[in-house]
Amino acid sequence: MGGNRAVVYKGPSRVAVETIDYPELVLKDGPGVNPLNVGRKCEHGVILKVVSTNICGSDQHMVRGRTTAPEGLVLGHEITGEVIEVGRDVEFIHKGDLVSVPFNIACGRCDNCKRGDTHICLHVNPDRPGSAYGYVDMGGWVGGQAEYVMVPYADFQLLKFPDKDQAMEKILDLTMLSDIFPTGFHGAVTAGVTIGSTVYVAGAGPVGLAAAHSAQLLGASVVIVGDLNEQRLAQARSFGCETVNLSEHDDLGEQIEQILGVPEVDCAIDCVGFEAHGHGHQHEEAPATVLNTMMQVTRAGGRLGIPGLYVTGDPGAKDEDAKVGSLKIRIGLGWAKAHSFTTGQTPVMRYHRQLMNAILSGRASIAKAVNATVISLDQAPSGYQEFNDGVARKFVLDPHGLISH
């Protein structure tokens, strides 16, 4: 086969669409590829023609220069595609299948995978448990913001859509199954959201909106979304959330009391992560703000879901502690209130089949909640810029022009 156009990280605030190698069923050397993974044979994998691939806030952290990502890294871990080549050892996935790819790569064979903890697979990243496509320090698996991509461990990982025509009709919803819908749902589940819960969601970006929609699906009575961006808050209100503009208010508890009558919620979800800012008119970056605020406003005995990304290497952090992921968290407050915390990547496979069924049945409308917006591969650089500027959209790349606009 010929080339393969893809979105490539070119240094802080710069991405470009370039031609890279067409994928093969082997992991070759390249930017970000762990030396111990070079030459790894993947006859258990498939080659996909990418139907849709999304720009994620996690990608944005790298593009801002806030990680140790190397220049030349091919971006993209939210992938939906059609199988066009099948490895020798693949038994249950076939050419022509339309599939969703979990962003976390998992072998299905290690102890963690067997427990369902596919977000911390022990066999795919030589540096530490857990891996992902097109992401810094995740083993070097080539990203999927491209025309074609290789996906390993296909039989175990891939979610096949039962009807291709039906799937293409709902592709803007189904494309969210690779990451942000399960991630938002995981945040809500681990925060303990259930029938009648009152919920605070920190952040009205795509993952925050997915968490808010997930909390509604789980039966929350009130979902309150906080952010500094009024445009994104308006998107949250569009599907029934209460909102708090944190650029205008210092005291979140006071704002929650105006909504609920009490200054606390049953549970809270952090969808911001390590680039958090303080509150009020003169807000500056303060990476522990969201975690500490959630502890303040969550009732004693409550739970905190933390799908927001925190890293061990942030060269752009304001102080030396934050550069290695050490934040000034009020753990004493969390201890005093007997809070439970759940952090880390989302084990996508724990949720994606159920969420697919919710989409196909019309129960879930995630594309509407996150304002899914289709752009071409060539428009990816402008999409990254608009996303960085705070636009209230979830950009979906359409590398082959297969999505009806």
Side-chain angles (χ1 to χ4, degrees):
M1 295 287 290
N4 177 24
R5 300 174 70 245
V7 181
V8 178
Y9 173 61
K10 303 296 288 183
S13 301
R14 293 191 297 124
V15 300
V17 179
E18 298 182 349
T19 298
I20 64 170
D21 290 340
Y22 185 83
E24 300 178 36
L25 296 174
V26 60
L27 186 53
K28 296 182 178 181
D29 198 7
V33 179
N34 190 299
L36 297 176
N37 260 350
V38 173
R40 186 167 179 165
K41 293 180 173 58
C42 296
E43 289 294 340
H44 43 63
V46 298
I47 307 297
L48 295 185
K49 178 180 181 179
V50 177
V51 172
S52 62
T53 177
N54 316 324
I55 296 176
C56 180
S58 298
D59 300 320
Q60 202 72 34
H61 291 304
M62 290 187 292
V63 172
R64 289 191 189 111
R66 296 300 297 269
T67 72
T68 56
E71 292 186 24
L73 185 74
V74 179
L75 299 169
H77 55 269
E78 301 190 13
I79 308 164
T80 304
E82 180 184 3
V83 177
I84 59 173
E85 182 180 337
V86 177
R88 178 193 61 215
D89 299 333
V90 177
E91 186 175 359
F92 303 112
I93 296 293
H94 305 286
K95 288 183 182 180
D97 287 348
L98 186 61
V99 297
S100 176
V101 182
F103 80 88
N104 24 45
I105 302 166
C107 72
R109 304 164 186 177
C110 70
D111 289 344
N112 283 349
C113 283
K114 290 176 181 178
R115 282 193 289 263
D117 293 328
T118 54
H119 57 314
I120 44 175
C121 175
L122 300 173
H123 289 162
V124 290
N125 184 355
D127 285 341
R128 64 174 187 264
S131 191
Y133 303 88
Y135 210 82
V136 58
D137 297 331
M138 287 290 184
W141 300 89
V142 179
Q145 286 176 14
E147 293 175 317
Y148 303 93
V149 68
M150 188 269 282
V151 174
Y153 304 105
D155 276 333
F156 177 63
Q157 296 189 101
L158 293 181
L159 176 66
K160 176 185 173 181
F161 300 137
D163 184 300
K164 288 179 70 173
D165 291 337
Q166 180 193 30
M168 287 304 298
E169 290 176 2
K170 290 183 172 285
I171 193 64
L172 290 185
D173 292 288
L174 295 172
T175 192
M176 306 303 167
L177 292 174
S178 56
D179 183 356
I180 69 159
F181 199 7
T183 293
F185 196 81
H186 180 64
V189 167
T190 55
V193 178
T194 187
I195 301 296
S197 296
T198 56
V199 185
Y200 174 65
V201 178
V207 170
L209 298 172
H213 185 46
S214 297
Q216 292 172 334
L217 290 173
L218 289 166
S221 59
V222 182
V223 179
I224 304 169
V225 180
D227 201 288
L228 302 163
N229 182 322
E230 180 55 37
Q231 185 180 0
R232 289 182 168 181
L233 290 172
Q235 181 62 27
R237 290 193 294 271
S238 75
F239 59 96
C241 299
E242 301 285 345
T243 62
V244 175
N245 189 325
L246 297 169
S247 69
E248 300 174 356
H249 304 286
D250 291 313
D251 192 332
L252 177 61
E254 182 179 289
Q255 300 306 308
I256 288 175
E257 185 170 21
Q258 290 184 13
I259 296 169
L260 299 178
V262 292
E264 63 181 15
V265 291
D266 294 319
C267 31
I269 310 167
D270 173 7
C271 298
V272 177
F274 73 102
E275 288 192 68
H277 281 238
H279 302 161
H281 297 290
Q282 303 299 320
H283 59 84
E284 296 181 350
E285 187 168 315
T289 296
V290 169
L291 296 173
N292 289 333
T293 301
M294 290 201 314
M295 286 188 281
Q296 292 170 17
V297 302
T298 302
R299 65 171 175 79
R303 291 158 60 181
L304 280 60
I306 309 174
L309 176 68
Y310 289 87
V311 296
T312 56
D314 175 8
K318 294 184 65 175
D319 59 64
E320 294 303 310
D321 286 338
K323 286 182 179 179
V324 294
S326 181
L327 310 182
K328 294 180 180 179
I329 297 170
R330 293 186 63 194
I331 192 65
L333 176 60
W335 190 94
K337 297 179 78 172
H339 284 156
S340 298
F341 303 76
T342 301
T343 67
Q345 286 188 34
T346 294
V348 169
M349 294 181 66
R350 193 175 297 175
Y351 309 106
H352 65 174
R353 187 172 299 278
Q354 300 97 309
L355 294 176
M356 175 188 73
N357 290 336
I359 289 169
L360 295 178
S361 68
R363 182 78 176 88
S365 301
I366 185 64
K368 180 180 178 182
V370 302
N371 194 17
T373 303
V374 179
I375 61 176
S376 69
L377 199 64
D378 287 322
Q379 292 173 299
S382 62
Y384 269 96
Q385 184 59 57
E386 289 184 51
F387 191 27
N388 186 64
D389 292 341
V391 69
R393 295 179 178 179
K394 174 68 172 178
F395 286 112
V396 177
L397 302 181
D398 181 9
H400 296 278
L402 299 173
I403 302 175
S404 299
H405 293 238

